[in-house]
Amino acid sequence: MGFSEKFVWGAATASYQVEGAAYEGGKGEHIWDVACKRGRDIYHFHTAESGCDHYHRFREDVAIMKETGLKAYRFSLSWTRLFPDGRGELNPEGVRFYNELIDELLRAGIEPYVTLFHWDYPYQLYLRGGWLNPDSPVWFEEYAAKVAELFSDRVKYFITVNEPQCFIGLGLYKGEHAPFLKLSPEEALLAWHNALKANGLAVRALRAHAKQPLQIGIAIANDVLMPYTQADAALAEAENFIPRTDNFFTNSLFTDPVVFGRYPEGMAEAFGAEFIYDQADMETIKCDIDFIGLNIYHGSYVKSDGKGGAVRVTPGMNMPLTDMRWPVTPESLYYGPKAFYKRYGLPIYITENGVAVTEWPSADGGVHDAARTEYIRGYLRQLKRAAEDGADIRGYFYWSFMDNFEWAEGFSKRFGLVYVDYDTKQRIPKDSARAYRDIIAANGADL
């Protein structure tokens, strides 16, 4: 037993993190462009204006993907590369770029998995209220419909939104990501509600305008809670979906409305907010997705507090930390997918999992990232265990294919299988890329 013969092995990126060409080819500004121009919220005033230059070097990158053995590439479309103002006139240069990228992937035998929105909200629509504007769901619906018309003849797999926990929770509530706002709980929940409506409309628009049958899903950020001892297993599983105070990272806040058509009980109370919405909206929000994408990097261990609740267990001094200061917890790729599959009964993709490591080329010109290789193997062993225990795991996308712009952290963190020299744009496949190639070739049999 193990991964199925049709298991999808891939890697992922996002448009602003890798494309560069921020002011080329007719692209309009989005909120991260503007944040980088202001600079004050980004590490060392870094900007992804040229970045990895995937826009000009995508053929070289696809060749490296093929050499690495990737079967799929998950990437996002830049909304403003297609619609410079978010709506209105379509930009032919943006259409050309994505057409050429998709065609190049297919020639290489690599399946494109396309994300419609990965945080780079059009600045002109932001000036009109962004996700707080009651028309924002329709704006996203229009965008999704055009994407289907343009690309669904060749693209079968679409992800509507990536990590609402981040673009709402961190961007509009915690003030840690663009546009760096700290809205009230009531305002943030309204934006969340509109994003859910947008997702529901986008799913329907993709299907209505599709040129072939599609597989459509969402990708959410996960805060996986794991049992400290086996006696805590049921407790940890339940705690994964209970709204927690002041926290958009509760696993059920997006998926319960999308799958079940209802918010998790106690959500508004957890935020201490008065949350009023039209119940009829839930008919729009509930939609027929085909899979759930989980972005899992780490988890937290919990145990009983002796009062029917749970407390987190403080990690010991020997707990390894990544360059993001995240704990290395491979079991999160076991407990997370299992809990989601049990609750929702939908196929699971790991749409992001990876590690930032401090590294640089050695004297021999290579990048010898043993820690990343060990990370990948350890997490995949646990994912394989989840599959063997009955969870329907369809694929795994390493984050990320190449080193890139890590949002507010700028270029200070390196997640990639491929090293990027940001001055020369040279690509160097790391040792982990070759290790991943071998894992793919064996379909994970020898983890």
Side-chain angles (χ1 to χ4, degrees), residues 4-199:
S4 73
E5 292 182 2
K6 295 182 179 180
F7 191 81
V8 176
W9 296 97
T13 65
S15 53
Y16 190 58
Q17 293 183 269
V18 298
E19 283 182 5
Y23 295 97
E24 294 183 44
K27 177 184 159 294
E29 281 193 321
H30 52 63
I31 57 174
W32 280 96
D33 288 318
V34 174
C36 285
K37 282 202 305 187
R38 292 173 179 165
R40 60 181 180 266
D41 297 303
I42 311 297
Y43 177 84
H44 281 198
F45 298 90
H46 288 178
T47 171
E49 184 172 338
S50 63
C52 302
D53 200 27
H54 185 58
Y55 182 82
H56 295 111
R57 296 169 180 261
F58 70 89
R59 289 186 174 84
E60 175 187 357
D61 293 333
V62 172
I64 298 172
M65 293 177 200
K66 183 175 182 180
E67 182 182 324
T68 306
L70 298 188
K71 306 303 180 186
Y73 175 45
R74 179 189 170 216
F75 64 96
S76 73
L77 305 174
S78 173
W79 188 341
T80 57
R81 197 175 291 285
L82 291 171
F83 291 95
D85 293 328
R87 304 182 76 197
E89 187 175 348
L90 183 66
N91 175 27
E93 282 300 299
V95 176
R96 176 201 58 76
F97 168 65
Y98 290 119
N99 273 331
E100 291 183 1
L101 173 58
I102 290 165
D103 291 344
E104 191 73 11
L105 289 166
L106 293 174
R107 278 193 292 269
I110 299 170
E111 191 78 43
Y113 280 64
V114 170
T115 302
L116 269 64
F117 177 66
H118 196 132
W119 306 2
D120 46 354
Y121 199 85
Y123 187 62
Q124 291 303 314
L125 296 185
Y126 166 73
L127 292 177
R128 296 172 61 182
W131 292 116
L132 288 172
N133 190 311
D135 292 332
S136 59
V138 175
W139 301 339
F140 194 60
E141 177 187 29
E142 293 170 347
Y143 168 54
K146 181 55 68 173
V147 166
E149 291 175 6
L150 291 169
F151 307 123
S152 68
D153 58 330
R154 288 151 295 152
V155 177
K156 304 173 187 174
Y157 299 90
F158 286 93
I159 293 165
T160 49
V161 296
N162 183 79
E163 296 185 341
Q165 296 88 345
C166 295
F167 67 78
I168 301 292
L170 299 183
L172 301 181
Y173 188 51
K174 295 291 188 181
E176 297 174 4
H177 279 186
F180 296 98
L181 299 182
K182 294 184 178 182
L183 300 179
S184 70
E186 287 81 7
E187 291 169 322
L189 286 171
L190 173 61
W192 187 264
H193 188 73
N194 284 338
L196 277 164
K197 288 175 65 178
N199 177 78

Side-chain angles (χ1 to χ4, degrees), residues 278-345:
D278 187 343
Q279 188 61 37
D281 289 346
M282 303 312 293
E283 297 177 10
T284 300
I285 288 170
K286 186 178 187 295
C287 56
D288 184 23
I289 59 172
D290 299 294
F291 63 88
I292 297 174
L294 303 181
N295 296 354
I296 298 176
Y297 293 87
H298 56 84
S300 301
Y301 290 98
V302 297
K303 64 180 180 180
S304 172
D305 63 3
K307 304 174 185 177
V311 293
R312 298 201 183 204
V313 179
T314 302
M317 296 291 288
N318 289 324
M319 171 70 75
L321 299 176
T322 74
D323 201 28
M324 296 289 288
R325 300 191 68 79
W326 295 342
V328 178
T329 55
E331 285 182 304
S332 58
L333 231 55
Y334 172 73
Y335 288 108
K338 277 196 66 179
F340 269 84
Y341 184 63
K342 181 178 179 180
R343 184 175 182 88
Y344 300 109

Side-chain angles (χ1 to χ4, degrees), residues 353-417:
N353 169 253
V355 60
V357 178
T358 299
E359 60 201 0
W360 52 87
S362 298
D364 63 5
V367 180
H368 308 302
D369 56 338
R372 180 172 290 104
T373 296
E374 183 56 34
Y375 179 101
I376 293 170
R377 294 181 66 86
Y379 275 74
L380 282 173
R381 278 194 291 268
Q382 294 298 324
L383 184 63
K384 184 178 180 180
R385 182 180 160 212
E388 291 171 342
D389 278 3
D392 185 359
I393 314 293
R394 298 289 177 89
Y396 171 87
F397 290 81
Y398 178 81
W399 182 272
S400 61
F401 170 66
M402 68 178 85
D403 293 336
N404 57 44
F405 179 81
E406 186 50 39
W407 307 110
E409 298 285 350
F411 291 103
S412 67
K413 310 298 181 186
R414 292 184 178 270
F415 277 88
L417 296 168

